[in-house]
Amino acid sequence: MSGPRQRGRVLVLLFLVWIGACSVDGPVSDQKFFALAPLPSPHEYGDVVIDHASREAGEDAVVFSHWSHRALYTCRVCHFELPFAMEANGSGISEKANRSGHFCGACHDGETAFGHTEENCSKCHTGVPADKESSFKKFRKSLKLPKGDYGNKIDWVAAERRGLIEPQKSILEPDFKLIAYNQEFEVSAAWSMISPAQFSHDEHMQWLECSNCHPDIFAIEKKGTQHFLMKHILDDKFCGACHTKVAFPIDDCKACHPSMKY
Amino acid sequence: MMRNGLLLVALAVVVLSQADADTFGTKKRTPKPSEYGNVVIDNHAARVDSDAVVFPHWLHRAKYTCRLCHVDLGFAMTAGETGITDEDNRNGLYCGACHDGTEAFSQEETAENGDVILHCARCHSGGKEVEFESEFYDFVEDLPRARFGNRVDWLKAEEQGLVELKDYLEGISIDRGSLQAPREREIAVEALGMPSIIFSHEKHTVWSGCELCHPQIFPIRKGEKVYDMQDIFDGSFCGACHGSVAFPNTDCRLCHTEDVL
């Protein structure tokens, strides 16, 4: 009965079961874990190319730098108070909307920041990543920002804690007060040799609104979050929604897994 | 035969797990203000070769209370659960209670020259480009703004008399005197540091009366049912309305209004 045809079927079956087991969070055997993509240079880390309708309208795409904005405003201002999506080109920004005070236009109105006027087009619509290296270095030096190891190579959290930058927490509520939710917890790693990750709500809440993460990215009960594995974080899920391209990148293992030895 | 069955099962595991892989751990798309609260109703439309109904809550809530449809007319709170048929509508139930040619347009009308004009596509608009009488942005232009959902502050709009809500339909609703709304209630929160919810019966009863929430969603005795925020996010309790039609659960401080020190 066990001819080569049957054996072939069993092998195919085993292969499928193995693939199935891997994709439903079985043992992580994903080689990608160790093959992180090379990071852009510090002044380009967090840059986003936005091209909703720019090029169609004969204008260069916008290259948005997170670093110059996050020094002045927290993430919640743009991603909560203003309707900026977390993905490039997910927000439906238009020139008309900007000129009527929405999106970029909420600040870029000629008062808070330079306006959306003709002489300023090229400040944002730079097309290719503009050469911001010198302005980035000047900015980092003038504010004496603490050094980080990855990403922008700036320790933004420490910079905010030390008062070297004072990113505005709200542009809509003059007497905005943070909710004092400061629960900290430990997330044990799926691999036995990896030390647990330490999570601080307080550190995140200095920048974010609860709904930036809850309930879409993380359930509000620890056990309610399914598939929370490093391999998914690498795919921009969970922590990876911010910590692969804007917040310090996951190359910085120790920033989250402080007792890790490597 | 059995092995083939196993193969199929294994294949299904792979396919299902891949499908699931796309949805977890990511931020969901925020619906456009004009889409927020839209419900696709497709009970029998496909069977009778018609397009699904795309029901806009924003247009209806600007004219009627929630209570009128979800209590007096018996519309369920979940799309497709009511089981509306064309016959029901033509007999004055559900949509047909208003869409009768008097209160609102009916399925068809006869023009002065005797031609029959069909209005099917005005509701059965799924997948079609339909030009409506009321376009969202024109409609909401003069209404007070809010930051989420339809980006309309419906409560304020009602308070300022910018929308007038009908709460009574002849032959369907019961003519009754109004009740004094119970006092505001503070709902303490277990999570450390989260401000309490100050719940206003008054704000809710304008739209929902008592019977839309009690006793099915909320028992009337305090502490009878224990629920948490995840239940609400999952569409139960406050989440029966807040998250799909009433303002979404995006800004904690809209409900957790206790002063933060």
Side-chain angles (χ1 to χ4, degrees):
Chain A
M1 277 301 284
S2 60
R5 213 167 140 213
Q6 269 82 358
R7 213 164 357 167
R9 273 193 191 157
V10 170
L11 279 176
V12 171
L13 175 71
L14 282 174
F15 174 71
L16 285 172
V17 169
W18 175 72
I19 299 264
C22 287
S23 50
V24 289
D25 300 342
V28 185
S29 53
D30 206 331
Q31 288 304 307
K32 204 168 88 176
F33 184 79
F34 297 106
L36 298 173
L39 290 169
S41 32
H43 67 280
E44 282 173 359
Y45 183 74
D47 280 5
V48 178
V49 178
I50 307 170
D51 183 18
H52 276 289
S54 304
R55 277 193 285 190
E56 219 173 90
E59 185 54 82
D60 281 328
V62 169
V63 180
F64 171 86
S65 285
H66 268 95
W67 63 262
S68 62
H69 290 82
R70 70 177 293 185
L72 300 170
Y73 300 94
T74 56
C75 319
R76 84 181 281 287
V77 167
C78 298
H79 292 290
F80 171 71
E81 292 192 339
L82 300 177
F84 281 102
M86 301 286 278
E87 267 163 44
N89 302 322
S91 318
I93 311 168
S94 67
E95 185 186 347
K96 193 180 166 203
N98 276 332
R99 286 188 195 273
S100 353
H102 300 288
F103 299 108
C104 317
C107 293
H108 285 284
D109 57 357
E111 282 178 34
T112 307
F114 63 83
H116 199 188
T117 46
E118 232 156 77
E119 72 273 17
N120 290 327
C121 299
S122 61
K123 285 187 179 167
C124 304
H125 291 271
T126 51
V128 286
D131 188 11
K132 294 180 190 165
E133 193 174 358
S134 58
S135 56
F136 174 77
K137 280 185 175 160
K138 217 160 92 187
F139 157 83
R140 197 169 60 179
K141 212 171 156 190
S142 65
L143 292 174
K144 296 193 177 85
L145 297 178
K147 213 178 157 314
D149 293 326
Y150 299 92
N152 297 129
K153 300 210 171 180
I154 293 171
D155 187 338
W156 292 102
V157 172
E160 194 271 338
R161 281 283 148 100
R162 290 184 212 159
L164 298 168
I165 53 167
E166 287 177 48
Q168 217 171 305
K169 288 191 168 66
S170 173
I171 56 168
L172 300 177
E173 294 171 69
D175 42 3
F176 171 80
K177 279 179 192 152
L178 265 188
I179 295 175
Y181 187 75
N182 53 13
Q183 194 205 18
E184 301 199 352
F185 59 82
E186 206 173 84
V187 189
S188 53
W191 285 5
S192 56
M193 71 269 204
I194 306 291
S195 66
Q198 304 291 340
F199 178 84
S200 158
H201 266 102
D202 189 46
E203 275 179 6
H204 286 83
M205 284 186 71
Q206 301 302 322
W207 300 87
L208 295 157
E209 178 65 30
C210 312
S211 62
N212 284 129
C213 304
H214 302 298
D216 290 1
I217 300 177
F218 289 100
I220 50 165
E221 284 154 342
K222 213 169 149 187
K223 58 180 185 296
T225 302
Q226 303 286 317
H227 316 288
F228 184 28
L229 288 173
M230 203 64 208
K231 66 168 180 176
H232 296 313
I233 296 177
L234 282 162
D235 283 337
D236 302 342
K237 294 174 188 289
F238 303 112
C239 318
C242 301
H243 286 284
T244 49
K245 31 190 191 294
V246 176
F248 67 76
I250 44 174
D251 305 61
D252 196 352
C253 312
K254 277 191 169 181
C256 302
H257 297 268
S259 321
M260 213 164 128
K261 292 180 181 71
Y262 59 89
Chain B
M1 272 310 280
M2 186 155 163
R3 276 189 187 140
N4 279 344
L6 276 174
L7 267 176
L8 278 176
V9 170
L11 201 62
V13 167
V14 173
V15 172
L16 287 175
S17 60
Q18 297 303 334
D20 183 41
D22 293 326
T23 51
F24 63 83
T26 48
K27 195 99 182 107
K28 287 190 194 124
R29 173 184 169 266
T30 305
K32 284 182 176 182
S34 58
E35 290 169 357
Y36 185 75
N38 281 5
V39 177
V40 177
I41 308 170
D42 189 8
N43 291 325
H44 310 285
R47 188 167 54 83
V48 297
D49 198 23
S50 175
D51 289 304
V53 169
V54 180
F55 172 84
H57 265 98
W58 61 265
L59 183 58
H60 290 79
R61 70 174 295 182
K63 297 172 182 171
Y64 304 92
T65 62
C66 316
R67 205 201 59 80
L68 189 69
C69 297
H70 290 289
V71 178
D72 291 358
L73 293 179
F75 277 101
M77 302 286 279
T78 311
E81 215 175 64
T82 320
I84 312 161
T85 63
D86 185 46
E87 197 190 357
D88 292 334
N89 281 332
R90 288 182 192 272
N91 281 293
L93 298 171
Y94 306 116
C95 316
C98 291
H99 285 284
D100 58 356
T102 317
E103 177 73 20
F105 65 86
S106 59
Q107 283 104 327
E108 58 213 24
E109 65 177 304
T110 312
E112 274 173 21
N113 63 4
D115 287 351
V116 175
I117 308 163
L118 295 172
H119 290 310
C120 312
R122 289 177 75 170
C123 302
H124 292 270
S125 62
K128 283 188 208 147
E129 287 281 328
V130 181
E131 216 167 277
F132 294 101
E133 245 171 55
S134 300
E135 284 301 334
F136 179 79
Y137 290 104
D138 298 334
F139 192 86
V140 302
E141 204 182 343
D142 297 324
L143 298 179
R145 300 279 173 94
R147 265 153 58 193
F148 305 104
N150 299 128
R151 306 227 180 110
V152 171
D153 189 334
W154 292 105
L155 254 67
K156 211 185 257 175
E158 192 277 330
E159 279 164 20
Q160 293 174 355
L162 297 168
V163 295
E164 278 179 43
L165 308 176
K166 211 169 183 179
D167 193 36
Y168 177 85
L169 273 185
E170 193 60 43
I172 288 171
S173 307
I174 301 164
D175 194 5
R176 57 202 165 68
S178 60
L179 287 170
Q180 168 89 42
R183 281 179 299 131
E184 282 189 343
R185 267 197 45 206
E186 181 168 335
I187 305 168
V189 180
E190 250 181 46
L192 199 67
M194 276 308 286
S196 293
I197 294 165
I198 313 288
F199 176 84
S200 164
H201 268 104
E202 204 180 337
K203 283 180 184 166
H204 285 81
T205 48
V206 173
W207 301 84
S208 310
C210 313
E211 61 273 45
L212 188 49
C213 304
H214 300 299
Q216 291 178 354
I217 300 175
F218 289 98
I220 50 166
R221 198 185 299 135
K222 197 178 171 182
E224 186 78 10
K225 256 188 198 164
V226 179
Y227 58 95
D228 63 22
M229 195 62 216
Q230 192 60 50
D231 295 324
I232 297 173
F233 284 142
D234 293 341
S236 302
F237 301 98
C238 317
C241 302
H242 288 285
S244 45
V245 176
F247 67 75
N249 306 306
T250 320
D251 186 354
C252 315
R253 300 287 280 150
L254 287 174
C255 302
H256 293 263
T257 47
E258 186 199 22
D259 282 346
V260 179
L261 300 173

